[in-house]
Amino acid sequence: MTDHPNAIALDNGAQLTADSVEVARIWITDGAGSNVLIDAGILEDPTVFGYLLADTIRHAARAYVGTWGLAEDTALQAIVDGVGTELREQFTTITTIQEGMH
């Protein structure tokens, strides 16, 4: 299967090797919500997945700096605020389409 035409390109320094494994993939569809695919079999300890999410949030803040010109601390705080609000309020309902397995 080939990647979707809107997939993020893995060029410009992506250091993937034969030992690299995809852990998560996140897609949004305008007006239709999100699709989040996670291979929980890769990281047995969910705490480590939390560390990965923290690193992802930090990378996202830097991406917002380069794309939208925001200050990194402003972008980081906005992302953290969004995560906290969504976890507390649970605005959206999630539906499991694939059960975890290993």
Side-chain angles (χ1 to χ4, degrees):
M1 179 176 166
T2 60
D3 265 328
H4 189 280
N6 293 328
I8 297 170
L10 295 178
D11 53 4
N12 296 325
Q15 300 294 318
L16 301 180
T17 69
D19 295 325
S20 299
V21 180
E22 188 171 44
V23 176
R25 188 173 281 214
I26 304 167
W27 288 86
I28 60 168
T29 302
D30 189 28
S34 62
N35 281 290
V36 179
L37 304 146
I38 299 168
D39 186 347
I42 301 299
L43 300 171
E44 184 176 349
D45 182 350
T47 302
V48 176
F49 189 78
Y51 298 154
L52 179 61
L53 287 177
D55 288 347
T56 302
I57 289 168
R58 292 173 58 218
H59 282 288
R62 287 195 179 169
Y64 275 88
V65 170
T67 303
W68 299 102
L70 296 175
E72 187 172 340
D73 60 339
T74 301
L76 180 61
Q77 189 61 58
I79 294 167
V80 169
D81 289 347
V83 170
T85 299
E86 179 62 22
L87 288 173
R88 275 190 314 277
E89 305 296 330
Q90 298 193 23
F91 292 117
T92 57
T93 301
I94 62 170
T95 304
T96 301
I97 58 173
Q98 271 180 291
E99 293 295 332
M101 60 183 177
H102 184 61

